């Protein structure tokens, strides 16, 4: 996968010093990015109000009923998103718990009768098969489903659209003998969904199934990231509302066929994803606010809150159903996943230093984690670039390696005698519990097996548990920590849906518990609470969130009294880690080549004016333009917006009339709205157009210019662009600083920003700015001297501090 | 207070139909608003990057050290804000608990020995004196401290600056024999603060002291709103950093002398205020995000989180200090104010209908509450307009009325025998408890007195308490509910610092408990939990927040299992209430006449273009302008920004050169940077200017044009505006729809938006848009026909639904 020079340059800093290399690359490579494990062309989204005659007419014609319809349907869709995501999340959980649970029960039973070889074989082969299955369906059916999906959704919400993010060609996912899949597929509502959105269903199905199998296969990967992507998929599909190909155009969904409404739905969907995977509704809203969304309004906050409220209530109801024991090994899990409430959580000033130490270690480890992850992903993508089959081979070898480690390492730990005052059965009976027997004699337990030979959720539960301060040995915890740390880094990059949240929590909890054991009786906090703080610190050090992590941890553990300490730990670890590198999702996003637009302007942008970065040549259209010219320009350039000038006005010099979009030009060409002479058409000529013709289709569904065939005669005709232009595009003067233009571009959510000259006796427009013109790579390519300037140097030395600027 | 025709017109709808009235008023009255209880002139804030030669030079000269300094000092200031606000909040609490506590202990002791008359006298007179004191210092010393302050801070964060919000002329607050004040004033750090910021200290002191006395005086008002205002004050004062008048210019604070940084500090301060008053750090961040802030960035989220983390840790440490019993009657309060944890909170599907009913009632009551509050405030402001002394009289009569009610009503309730299995002493010993004895014989308690003859916090604790399902009688709860509902509405408008949160929580909790008693044993939830849900529903119905209320309630009550129900209740009550009227703070803000700029465009704005609302006459300057003209224009208009055109350029028609601000022109006039001839000056002529000269002073500190005296000779000279102009102001074309211009204006945070002509052969600028031009009152004044149009009608019929648009 050699198509990511941007990311390479940015992080290795060396190539930036070579201007020639940069100048040639900057406008070629930034048009593609890696979505999942697939290279896709990318486009920008456009949140500008497009003002042409048809849309204006459409607004005027919207009455009270339409507004009600719009509002009602929008809320209804949010309700459906919540409903579907909670069902998927619940079934996902159910399937993982049952698959992984059955596996561990069978192996444990075999261990009990000392058939160790057989147990290993079952464990090994089930993991191998599940991983193989997950990686095959991901690699060959839905490559976009690989990885966590959070970087892709985050880029989408920033305005980067890749056709593969939420859609895929129809492919049948066959032969899935996964119980959960049948459950899903036979579930009435979901089934209907799949029929309707057959076109997109496969990605979702694949992400769901892939995620279940991958997580069940004892790989050290999480399910939160894939759930976020699933939620965003559900939202995007619902918002799209049917497809013309299948004759399922729902008229009342036509108002949502624009980027603004779709962005709202995707934001709600990603909030619902987190809410469903951690049963943390408020945390979900805050996660999508703090980490995912680039634009935010109060109304959107309420909508997200509504969606996650639906998720919370559905989950609560489904858990009620499970309480009667119908859910197999899922058992009687409550709404709080890792409850660490204790009546007497007290701590005083002397407990603060260990907590600060935890924060600092968390920051260091977190940034080191991000650093290693980037390196590993870089190596992986190099390997994947060689041959696609390597994707499968790598996944399988990771699985083999994992199985061997998980089964082999507990043999290193010595058996411990069961404590007399244990609060639960020792050794553990059944699947989950603190005291795994493994190879030990009766009355003894293997502490390392309790952690490592277990599902991730159970390992977290054991680490967080109170009244077990003497359960673990130093060596076991250390082995477990090292295993988790490195295994999770190597497992993330495989071609299967994989999240980062749970692995980071496990790793953080293990070293937190270790620190707790070191501090020992000098602290009032029990080791379980140290594990919670450790998990918080590693999350803070790796993901760099504050409020949302705080609330998610609170909702996971239900210990409000710990809140001040969690806040301290998060702040310390985030600050320490920010000194070294960026947020893990930003690193992955950069690696994948998404042109993410930051909300703040870099200091050197204040030194540059707009005209310094605008690159030519500019393609202009006349307001009455020859068909041939339009076709030629569309075929020879990849631009999506063209300024339109009017030379026939009363003024002696041409006047800027507006902006016309490629998509709209293609509609005009396809509908052949041509004039034989170059005079302005009367309004009757456009009666057969309506606003519907210009609404944005689902991503990747637009017509291509290559598909349109025109005769020689038609080529000689004219198109009157008057009614089709956006007659009031946003403009900036060429002398404006780049920082100021960026603020306008980013805050309003533009796709094209026209640059007008300071003195008006030249052409009325001198250039057009797009997202790529604001990318540091492009700017530094055009102005290589900046690299050596003071500003640039500071930027490299204080990469993260400037974010706080 | 007759100066609020805007607000009157908007809500009464009738005058809107009279275009003549409107046209004459729209540009006169919108320049003032009521801050606290004072009419102030208001200005807009400006978040645009001002690009003139001096600022550009300043950016270029900023090195690594300066950037570090900026970042470090900004975080340091946030730390100080957190520290100071938590100290103030804690002392505030301490003072209220002790003042009110002593009062109740003394009266209770007198009641115990049946000296009822004497008890009433003590109760009555202490309330009266405290109220009188609070209203006098508020009315005569710091009128801006009246009311909750949240509307003022919210308007500030939206970009409306009133000189009185955060500053006041130096006035000494003398003779305050309030223990807490001495505590504050003698506290070393705070003392230093007051010396440094003597100029502004008085408002803060007054707000703090006023709030303590008012809350202690048994009036039904809260302390959260005043704490938010206090936090914002502290933040604004710290950010301002010294004053020139006192020779205390801190050079390293010069970077913060702009509206953007000040906005960040005020946001952090208001978050800290909520965090300190409810001990809810995360809730504070979310409150300032959801309700207060109009602009938001991730970096600001972290900064707020940091500030509230400091508050949380400080509060935790201070509470630790109090655990040893040194805090008088404050006792051993924990970090969670109203703990309702119960191990076995279970609920099933049958518990949902009562919760939905609660939500609906909460929505209806909440909107009715807002409606009544508006009417009462309108009457009060009419009364206050007559004579200032009425402010004091009204406050005193409310106090008398309240004292009589609180003391008199419990006599209506019949005495109940103490339950045998009571979890606490019955009748109550000491101050707070569930079973107040009041006039009852031994072994009995008065349930109404337990609620009404108590501090608000204790009443809430009693209502939220579990295992007390049979404590209250229907009649007592109903009487208490009615008293709270009306008393809190009448108390809010008095001229004293007064919050709304606590009264709404008390009122909501009482009817929630009532509903719980009606449902009785049909539900698994105990009555205390019903009270929590009731409080949530009334908060949702009145304040219309979702996420932040959810988290605040969570942090107040520490019952995470209740979360799904709280989410439902909030959504239902908000939806129901939104059908009737707006958020209580928006109503008050409108009443006070703040030109609040909404984030969304009203539908009719899409039908209007910019040129439809631009009003003349436009004042232009030449880029080299005669002093006399500048002085004349500044004296005769109140505008704050003037377009500058360049007639001498190479073009035949004049060219727009930029925008110059009134404040900068005044600096030039004061410094007498004049030229004798009308030719462009060389760069040496401006050596004695620096960027510092053009930084924005603290609000209200700018020079006035009237203060500048110029000789006849100087009047004939010229000023070269080239280096002082913002050379790249944001512009829009006159044909752009108003909705689109509003989005630019609002998202970027502008103060002036230049309108340029479509065809360039006229003047290069046709008008200038400011905040007031986007106000519905102004637009409908200019276009009275819109009132009768379909769009307008819809807007009036669905006032709130359109917010969701």
């Amino acid at each position: 996968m050699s198509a990511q020079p941007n990311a390479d340059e940015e992080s290795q800093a060396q190539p930036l010093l070579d201007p020639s290399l940069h100048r040639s690359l900057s406008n070629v490579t930034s048009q593609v990015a890696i979505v999942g494990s697939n290279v896709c062309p990318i486009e920008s989204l456009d949140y500008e109000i497009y003002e042409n005659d048809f849309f204006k007419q459409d607004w005027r014609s919207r009455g009270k009923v339409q507004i009600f319809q719009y509002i009602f349907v929008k809320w209804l869709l949010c309700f459906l998103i919540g409903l579907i995501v909670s069902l998927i999340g619940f079934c996902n959980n159910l399937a993982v718990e049952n698959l992984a649970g059955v596996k561990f029960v069978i192996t444990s039973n075999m261990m009990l009768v000392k058939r160790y070889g057989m147990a290993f074989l079952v464990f090994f082969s089930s993991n191998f098969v599940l991983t193989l299955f997950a990686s095959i369906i991901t690699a060959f059916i839905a490559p976009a489903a690989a990885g966590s999906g959070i970087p892709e959704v985050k880029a989408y919400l920033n305005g980067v659209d890749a056709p593969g993010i939420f859609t895929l060609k129809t492919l049948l996912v066959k032969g899935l003998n996964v119980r959960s899949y049948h459950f899903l597929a036979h579930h009435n509502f979901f089934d209907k969904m799949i029929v309707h959105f057959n076109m997109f269903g496969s990605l979702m199905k694949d992400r769901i199934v892939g995620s279940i199998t991958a997580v069940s296969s004892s790989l050290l990967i999480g399910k939160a990231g894939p759930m976020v992507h699933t939620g965003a998929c559900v939202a995007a599909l619902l918002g799209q509302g049917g497809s013309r190909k299948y004759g399922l155009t729902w008229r009342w969904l036509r108002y949502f066929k624009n980027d603004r409404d779709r962005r709202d739905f995707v934001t709600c969907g990603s909030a619902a994803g987190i809410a469903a995977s951690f049963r943390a509704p408020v945390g979900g809203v805050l996660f999508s606010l703090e980490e995912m969304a680039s634009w935010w309004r109060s109304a959107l906050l309420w909508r997200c809150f509504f969606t996650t409220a639906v998720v919370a209530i559905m989950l609560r109801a489904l858990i009620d159903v499970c309480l009667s024991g119908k859910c197999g090994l899922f058992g009687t899990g409550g709404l709080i996943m890792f409850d660490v409430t204790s009546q007497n959580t007290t701590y005083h000033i002397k407990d603060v230093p260990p907590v600060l130490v935890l924060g600092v270690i968390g920051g260091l480890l977190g940034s080191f984690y991000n650093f290693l992850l980037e390196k590993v992903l870089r190596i992986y993508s190099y390997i994947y670039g060689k041959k696609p089959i390597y994707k499968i081979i790598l996944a399988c070898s990771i699985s083999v390696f994992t199985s061997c480690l998980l089964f082999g390492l507990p043999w290193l730990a010595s058996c411990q005698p069961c404590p007399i005052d244990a609060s639960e059965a020792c050794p553990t009976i059944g699947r989950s519990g603190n005291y795994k027997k493994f190879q030990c004699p009766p009355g003894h337990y293997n502490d390392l097996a309790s952690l490592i030979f277990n599902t991730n959720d159970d390992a977290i539960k054991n680490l967080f548990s109170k009244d077990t301060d003497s359960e673990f040995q130093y060596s076991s915890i250390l082995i477990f920590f090292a295993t988790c740390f490195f295994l999770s880094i190597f497992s993330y990059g495989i071609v299967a849906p994989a999240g980062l949240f749970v692995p980071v929590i496990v790793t953080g909890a293990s070293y937190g518990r270790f620190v707790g054991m070191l501090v020992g009786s000098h602290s009032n906090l029990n080791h379980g609470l140290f594990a919670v703080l450790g998990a918080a610190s590693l999350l803070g050090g790796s993901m760099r969130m504050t409020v949302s992590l705080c609330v998610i941890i609170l909702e996971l553990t239900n210990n409000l009294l710990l809140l001040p300490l969690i806040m301290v730990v998060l702040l310390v670890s985030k600050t320490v880690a920010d000194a070294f590198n960026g947020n893990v999702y930003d690193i992955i996003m950069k690696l994948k080549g998404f042109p993410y637009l930051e909300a703040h302007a870099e200091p050197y942008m204040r030194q540059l004016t707009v005209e310094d970065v605008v690159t030519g040549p500019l393609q202009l259209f006349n307001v009455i333009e020859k068909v041939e010219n339009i076709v030629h320009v569309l075929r020879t350039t990849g631009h999506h917006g063209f300024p339109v000038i009017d030379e026939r006005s009363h003024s002696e010099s041409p006047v800027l009339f507006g902006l016309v979009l490629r998509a709209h030009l293609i509609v005009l060409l396809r509908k052949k709205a041509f004039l034989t002479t170059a005079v302005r058409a009367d309004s009757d000529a456009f009666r057969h157009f309506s606003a519907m013709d210009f609404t944005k289709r689902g991503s990747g569904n637009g017509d291509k210019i290559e598909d349109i065939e025109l005769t020689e005669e038609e080529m000689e005709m004219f198109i009157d662009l008057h009614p089709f232009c956006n007659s009031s595009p946003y403009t900036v003067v060429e002398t404006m600083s780049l920082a100021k233009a960026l603020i306008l571009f980013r805050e309003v959510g533009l796709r094209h920003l026209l640059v007008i000259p300071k003195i008006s006796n030249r052409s009325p427009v001198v250039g057009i700015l797009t997202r790529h013109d604001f990318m540091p790579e492009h700017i530094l390519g055009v102005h290589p001297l900046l690299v050596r300037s003071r500003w640039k140097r500071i930027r490299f030395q204080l990469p993260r501090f400037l974010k706080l600027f």
Side-chain angles (χ1 to χ4, degrees), chain A:
Chain A
M1 209 146 281
S2 56
Q4 37 163 313
N6 278 345
D8 280 327
E9 283 156 33
E10 180 60 17
S11 59
Q12 290 171 2
Q14 199 51 41
L16 279 176
L17 294 170
D18 183 352
S20 64
L21 174 69
H22 227 296
R23 205 180 277 280
S24 64
L25 285 174
S26 58
N27 276 335
V28 182
T29 57
S30 52
Q31 313 293 331
V32 295
I34 308 170
V35 176
S37 63
N38 217 21
V39 180
C40 287
I42 49 172
E43 282 189 17
S44 289
L45 299 174
D46 193 356
Y47 303 128
E48 184 176 354
I49 298 173
Y50 195 88
E51 294 192 325
N52 72 19
D53 288 355
F54 295 100
F55 286 116
K56 283 184 185 165
Q57 183 53 44
D58 192 39
W59 298 330
R60 272 193 289 272
S61 69
R62 284 194 201 176
K64 216 194 299 186
V65 178
Q66 274 85 353
I67 290 178
F68 259 128
Q69 210 179 42
Y70 173 88
I71 294 169
F72 176 75
V73 173
K74 202 161 178 186
W75 284 103
L76 182 73
L77 287 178
C78 286
F79 178 79
L80 289 179
I81 292 170
L83 196 76
I84 295 169
V85 172
S86 59
L87 281 174
I88 293 174
F90 185 74
C91 298
N92 204 334
N93 250 332
L94 209 65
V96 169
E97 292 279 314
N98 278 305
L99 273 175
V102 165
K103 191 178 69 186
F104 279 112
V105 164
I106 292 175
T107 46
S108 294
N109 287 345
M110 286 177 172
M111 301 283 291
L112 221 58
V113 294
K114 306 217 167 172
R115 294 173 60 192
Y116 300 127
M118 193 62 197
F120 178 67
L121 203 69
V122 168
F123 185 70
F124 175 87
S125 54
S126 61
N127 287 348
F128 189 82
V129 169
L130 286 169
T131 310
L132 188 68
F133 179 72
S135 63
I136 285 178
I137 59 170
T138 309
F140 295 115
I141 298 183
S148 103
I150 290 182
E152 279 85 355
V153 178
K154 188 174 176 182
Y156 179 85
L157 291 176
N158 189 259
V160 183
D161 193 13
I165 296 185
F166 302 124
T167 65
L168 255 182
K169 289 193 222 88
T170 314
L171 284 166
L172 277 172
V173 182
K174 281 180 293 197
L176 303 175
N177 47 4
V178 183
R179 190 189 131 175
S180 67
Y181 172 67
H182 281 295
F183 184 93
L184 281 180
H186 293 158
H187 191 281
N188 196 11
F189 186 84
F190 192 71
D191 214 357
K192 252 166 87 185
M193 278 287 308
I194 288 176
V195 173
H196 281 167
F197 306 115
N198 216 350
M199 231 172 90
F200 320 107
S202 74
L203 172 61
M204 257 171 60
K205 279 195 252 173
D206 185 50
R207 173 153 298 276
I208 298 163
V209 175
S211 161
I212 292 170
T213 47
V215 172
S216 313
S217 66
S218 285
L219 289 176
L220 201 68
I221 54 183
K223 53 192 186 297
M227 270 309 295
V228 170
H229 195 175
T230 308
C233 278
V234 171
L237 299 179
L238 277 180
Q240 206 138 294
S243 95
R244 284 194 194 182
K245 282 194 195 163
Y246 296 87
L248 280 163
T249 319
W250 297 340
R251 260 191 72 77
W252 41 276
L253 282 181
R254 74 176 188 277
Y255 300 131
F256 302 114
K257 288 191 180 293
N258 62 66
D259 289 331
R260 278 183 303 278
D261 285 317
R262 219 168 274 161
R263 170 187 68 187
D264 289 358
F265 288 129
V266 171
T267 312
C268 290
S270 59
I274 285 284
S277 56
F278 291 128
R279 304 177 206 159
V282 179
V285 175
L286 294 176
F287 176 81
S288 72
L289 156 67
E290 188 175 356
E291 183 60 32
M292 306 297 287
S294 296
W295 285 276
W296 198 262
R297 294 167 303 130
S298 285
L300 187 55
L301 191 71
W302 301 332
R303 215 179 286 284
C304 272
F305 185 79
F306 173 73
T307 315
T308 61
V310 173
V311 173
I313 293 154
M314 279 300 296
L315 285 180
R316 185 68 188 67
L318 289 170
I319 283 171
D320 246 21
V321 171
C322 274
L323 279 179
S324 49
K326 291 182 199 129
C327 304
L329 290 169
F330 180 80
T332 55
L335 205 60
I336 293 152
M337 291 175 79
F338 315 115
D339 202 334
V340 299
T341 332
S342 54
Q343 286 300 322
N344 45 0
T345 307
T346 52
Y347 47 90
H348 301 290
I349 196 80
K350 69 166 182 175
D351 296 320
V352 173
V355 170
L356 291 179
V357 171
L358 262 184
V360 173
I361 300 177
L364 293 174
L365 281 179
S367 56
F368 186 57
Y369 190 90
N370 292 0
F371 173 79
L372 279 188
L373 191 67
E374 190 193 347
K375 295 291 165 214
V376 169
L377 286 180
R378 211 178 276 281
I379 294 167
Y380 278 11
S381 75
Y382 175 77
I383 294 173
Y384 295 160
K386 297 272 178 193
K387 241 182 196 176
I389 194 72
Y390 287 167
K391 295 180 183 182
I392 312 290
I393 294 174
L394 193 70
C396 290
S397 23
I398 295 279
S399 167
V400 170
F401 188 60
T402 305
S403 297
C404 293
L405 273 185
L406 298 197
F407 199 87
L409 284 176
W411 297 90
L412 298 178
S414 57
C415 290
Q416 303 284 314
C418 280
I420 303 155
D421 56 346
S423 55
E424 51 181 299
C426 174
T428 301
I429 301 150
R431 188 169 66 84
S432 49
N434 266 313
Y435 305 102
K436 282 255 172 183
K437 189 168 170 296
F438 211 69
Q439 92 289 15
C440 292
H444 288 67
Y445 70 96
N446 185 325
D447 60 341
L448 188 51
S450 301
L451 296 174
I452 216 168
F453 195 65
N454 221 335
T455 59
N456 290 333
D457 285 5
D458 283 330
I460 295 174
K461 262 180 213 142
N462 291 347
L463 285 169
F464 281 3
S465 63
K466 58 191 169 190
D467 305 331
T468 53
D469 283 4
S470 55
E471 182 188 347
F472 300 107
Q473 306 171 61
Y474 287 105
S475 58
S476 304
I477 290 273
L478 270 188
I479 291 173
F480 182 63
F481 166 70
T483 314
C484 288
F485 190 83
F486 293 104
L487 216 49
S488 65
I489 289 173
F490 284 105
S491 306
Y492 176 78
I494 66 163
V495 179
L500 274 173
F501 257 100
V502 172
V504 169
I505 293 178
V506 179
T507 313
S510 61
Y511 94 78
R513 185 115 187 169
F514 185 73
V515 171
M517 286 160 68
L518 287 181
V519 176
S521 58
H522 296 295
S523 170
N524 295 311
L525 298 171
N526 68 49
H527 297 177
L529 297 182
F530 267 105
V532 173
L533 293 173
S537 75
L538 196 60
L539 281 172
S542 172
M543 315 214 165
R544 317 287 162 85
M545 290 173 269
T546 50
V547 184
S548 49
L549 279 182
C550 210
V551 174
I552 288 176
I553 292 170
L554 209 67
E555 289 186 290
L556 279 177
T557 63
N558 190 20
N559 194 332
L560 196 67
L561 291 168
L562 215 54
L563 184 63
L565 292 184
I566 291 177
M567 292 177 93
V568 174
V569 128
L570 283 175
L571 279 171
V572 172
S573 67
K574 178 174 154 53
T575 311
V576 170
D578 271 348
F580 295 102
N581 55 21
N583 175 333
V584 65
Y585 296 122
D586 287 346
I587 289 178
I588 298 174
M589 216 157 43
K590 211 165 232 177
L591 209 60
K592 283 169 174 277
F594 287 114
Y596 187 84
L597 209 58
E598 297 283 352
H600 67 281
E602 303 283 349
Y604 64 83
M605 290 187 184
R606 290 199 172 190
Q607 311 298 329
L608 293 173
T609 62
V610 164
E611 62 184 338
D612 292 335
V613 299
V614 159
T615 48
L618 184 67
Q619 296 289 353
L620 292 170
F621 287 129
N622 269 311
V623 74
I624 296 177
E625 186 62 81
K626 214 173 170 187
V627 174
E628 192 178 6
N629 289 347
I630 293 178
V631 172
H632 176 74
V633 169
L634 289 184
R635 284 199 178 142
T636 52
T637 69
H639 300 178
H640 287 274
F642 304 92
V644 174
I645 56 171
D646 189 356
E647 283 181 343
R648 297 161 191 240
S649 71
H650 319 289
S651 157
E652 63 276 22
S653 55
V655 168
L656 175 65
F657 184 77
L659 182 85
V660 70
L661 297 185
R662 165 183 284 260
H664 295 184
L665 286 175
I666 289 177
V667 170
L668 294 181
L669 291 174
R670 194 164 45 76
K671 288 219 168 189
K672 301 200 197 297
F674 303 147
L675 305 172
T676 45
T677 52
V679 290
R680 186 163 181 171
D682 54 353
S683 57
D684 279 2
F686 307 111
R687 266 177 314 180
H688 54 287
F689 283 98
S690 77
M692 271 295 271
D693 295 321
F694 299 104
T695 54
K696 185 157 178 177
R697 314 277 196 82
S699 47
N701 288 343
D703 287 310
K704 300 268 177 300
I705 180 69
E706 289 75 20
D707 303 337
I708 291 171
E709 291 188 7
L710 295 170
T711 62
E712 278 292 319
E713 199 179 322
E714 283 167 339
M715 285 295 219
E716 293 299 314
M717 292 168 87
F718 296 89
I719 294 184
D720 180 3
L721 294 175
H722 275 104
F724 308 106
C725 279
N726 180 0
S727 55
S728 54
Y730 287 107
T731 56
V732 293
V733 185
E734 57 184 342
T735 55
M736 186 179 274
S737 76
L738 200 60
K740 244 177 126 163
L742 171 66
I743 287 171
L744 168 62
F745 194 88
R746 177 64 170 66
E747 295 293 331
V748 180
L750 298 179
R751 183 172 184 178
H752 303 105
L753 180 57
L754 294 185
V755 181
I756 55 174
K758 182 93 182 172
I759 313 287
S760 59
N761 55 2
R762 289 187 284 142
S763 160
V765 55
V766 295
I768 194 161
L769 288 173
T770 63
R771 167 179 297 267
H772 297 289
D773 295 316
F774 292 104
M775 290 294 118
E777 295 79 24
H778 170 72
I779 296 167
L780 298 173
V782 179
H783 294 275
L785 280 179
L786 274 175
V787 177
R788 252 164 258 131
S789 83
R790 201 159 42 76
W791 281 108
K792 187 58 197 169
R793 258 189 288 129
I794 288 171
R795 202 180 142 255
F796 272 107
Q797 284 167 17
L798 316 171
R800 285 295 127 187
F801 274 125
L802 289 182
K803 279 218 156 190
L804 318 172
F805 200 51

